[in-house]
Amino acid sequence: MPSPLISVVIPAYDQQKQLADCLDSLLAQSLQDVEVIVVADRSPDTAGELADAYAARHPRLSVLHLNAAVGVGVNRNAGAARAAGEYLLFLDADHQLPRDALQTLADRLRQTGPVDLLLFGHSRRHNDRDWPGGAEALLAEAGPEVFEPFDRPALFGAPPLAWDRLIRRGHWEELRLAFPDGRYEEIPVVFAALLGTRRVAVLARECVQLRRRETVHPTGSPGSSVFDLFEQYERSFALLEDQPHLYAVRDALFVRMIRHYLFVFDLAGCVTRAERPQFFHRAAEHHRRFLPPGHRRPGGREGIKFSLLAGGAYPAFEMAKLSHIARSTLTGSGRQK
């Protein structure tokens, strides 16, 4: 049998009971040249029986069972090793796709010819509202032509997500890519795949929607924590150690790193009150260590946050946040009168 065009790999973590909706959206795709691999380990939130029931009814879907609780990264690696498709797409249980999403990606690949990466847009749904994914402007600016990543260094500043891109399976194997242990495991893989490619294309359309009902990161490997975020960015910057000429890439990656730290720091449910000082000071240490020569901070309130982080001024940072909340509350109260 010929190999499918796309292999979709999904860890069967189903904390919010969304895996069935994800699988339904995949099996309803107008493109049939697809295989779906669900990887079920022994973690408590794994929906292995649900995946088996789908596999019994749908020949394009198979289930790979692992004999231990190993986390998202190892699940994805195991699925990628089994995949037969020309391109890999990594999804989670809380993702859904429009019915024509994969066909649209296939049409774009026919236009571009073989590429190592095909980047596309995504959106987020929360409380019945849809939000843009964060890379729309960068994708739109990239244009329709195939390019090298160093021609568009700003793309290294996009959110590092594994599920808004197709990765050519040969590219995955040539670079020996693999998700590491811990949370935020996709960060170094995304940057390694982008640094190692010579042919990238973009589809400036939203093809995946994230419908996460919780703010916390999905299940990591046993023993993982929110502090894994720092190690994943250390791995990412290590990729640039022997490439000092990539100034623009380093600057874009630095801004993305600091934005990510500030986002997680402020996101409810991610960093506990007791962990906040330690998390802040780890972020400040990375700001000092990875600051590129000639870097210019963003403007506005974001620039103030960057500045406070750069100085390691945790009390001042928290005070500035409380002052902003107070001003916002007063402004809101005034508008209601």
Side-chain angles (χ1 to χ4, degrees), residues 186-207:
E186 56 200 339
I187 292 170
V189 170
V190 164
F191 291 126
L194 196 54
L195 280 167
T197 185
R198 289 297 177 269
R199 286 181 57 82
V200 184
V202 161
L203 175 64
R205 176 196 151 163
E206 296 173 353
C207 294

Side-chain angles (χ1 to χ4, degrees), residues 139-155:
L139 296 179
E141 291 168 2
E145 303 300 325
V146 176
F147 57 90
E148 292 192 19
F150 309 123
D151 296 333
R152 303 283 191 279
L155 285 173

Side-chain angles (χ1 to χ4, degrees), residues 301 304 317 319-335:
R301 184 167 179 267
I304 295 173
F317 188 94
M319 184 62 67
K321 180 181 178 182
L322 290 173
S323 297
H324 175 76
I325 293 173
R327 285 196 301 271
S328 298
T329 302
L330 289 172
T331 303
S333 298
R335 287 175 180 168

